[in-house]
């Protein structure tokens, strides 16, 4: 079991935060030019749109999807922040994990921090350190897997 990476997007599609833990295969797309982030956000936008058209009465909407190699977990806050966690297939539901990251880490160390501007790229070492410690303490985190 393992966690590959985490993206945090704002409501406009800008990637505020990215970190990877056990990502062995790179996409071959430049992160410096933000192409990977744009592709990820575009895919999420398309999937959410498709899901809402297929089931307009579903309150939960899009939560996750899987391929033959990984599972993507998705959580959107009422303010429009989008949290995306990629794991291996053995992690069936990471919704509680994403809610914890938002409410206990992002809100505490970014929103309540007067130095951080929530709509800009997250440079908070405190947030990054606490997030890393939280991810590494999860029961489905394994540094050797992937």
């Amino acid at each position: 079991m393992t966690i590959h990476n985490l993206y945090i997007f704002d409501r406009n599609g800008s990637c505020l935060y990215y970190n990877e833990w056990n990502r062995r295969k790179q996409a071959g797309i430049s992160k410096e030019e933000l192409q990977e982030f744009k592709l990820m956000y575009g895919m999420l936008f398309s999937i959410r749109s498709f899901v809402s058209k297929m089931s307009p009465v579903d309150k939960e909407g899009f939560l996750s999807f899987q391929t033959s190699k990984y599972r993507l977990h998705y959580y959107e806050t009422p303010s429009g922040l989008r949290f995306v966690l990629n794991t291996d297939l053995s992690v069936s539901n990471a919704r509680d994990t994403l809610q914890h990251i938002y409410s206990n880490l992002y809100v505490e160390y970014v929103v309540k921090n007067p130095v951080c501007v929530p709509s800009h790229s997250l440079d908070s070492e405190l947030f990054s350190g606490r997030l890393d410690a939280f991810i590494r303490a999860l029961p489905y985190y394994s540094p050797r897997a992937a």
Side-chain angles (χ1 to χ4, degrees):
M1 297 188 288
T2 192
I3 295 173
H4 299 297
N5 54 18
L6 173 76
Y7 300 84
I8 301 176
F9 294 101
D10 68 5
R11 67 174 48 235
N12 300 316
S14 298
C15 187
L16 301 177
Y17 183 82
Y18 175 80
N19 197 357
E20 55 188 47
W21 287 270
N22 294 313
R23 182 176 178 182
R24 292 203 178 165
K25 185 175 182 181
Q26 298 299 319
I29 301 172
S30 172
K31 286 187 192 68
E32 290 78 32
E33 296 175 22
L34 308 175
Q35 291 178 11
E36 180 178 330
F37 302 148
K38 289 178 184 178
L39 286 173
M40 176 61 76
Y41 186 81
M43 180 188 67
L44 292 170
F45 184 83
S46 298
I47 290 173
R48 284 184 58 246
S49 176
F50 178 75
V51 167
S52 69
K53 288 177 183 172
M54 293 301 291
S55 180
V57 296
D58 186 9
K59 299 285 188 225
E60 292 291 320
F62 168 60
L63 300 176
S64 71
F65 81 85
Q66 76 177 36
T67 69
S68 61
K69 301 286 184 192
Y70 72 94
R71 182 180 307 257
L72 182 143
H73 306 269
Y74 179 77
Y75 176 69
E76 185 173 345
T77 68
S79 63
L81 285 174
R82 293 163 173 97
F83 292 76
V84 180
L85 184 69
N86 289 307
T87 66
D88 68 1
L89 297 173
S90 63
V91 181
S92 62
N93 186 357
R95 186 157 179 87
D96 291 340
T97 300
L98 292 172
Q99 286 176 329
H100 179 86
I101 291 170
Y102 170 65
S103 61
N104 293 50
L105 299 174
Y106 184 84
V107 170
E108 290 298 319
Y109 300 112
V110 177
V111 175
K112 292 182 179 179
N113 185 345
V115 178
C116 289
V117 180
S119 62
H120 290 79
S121 180
L122 298 177
D123 298 348
S124 172
E125 289 183 27
L126 183 59
F127 172 75
S128 295
R130 297 290 168 100
L131 175 65
D132 188 60
F134 173 72
I135 293 291
R136 291 177 188 276
L138 289 171
Y140 45 84
Y141 174 82
S142 173
R144 295 181 306 274

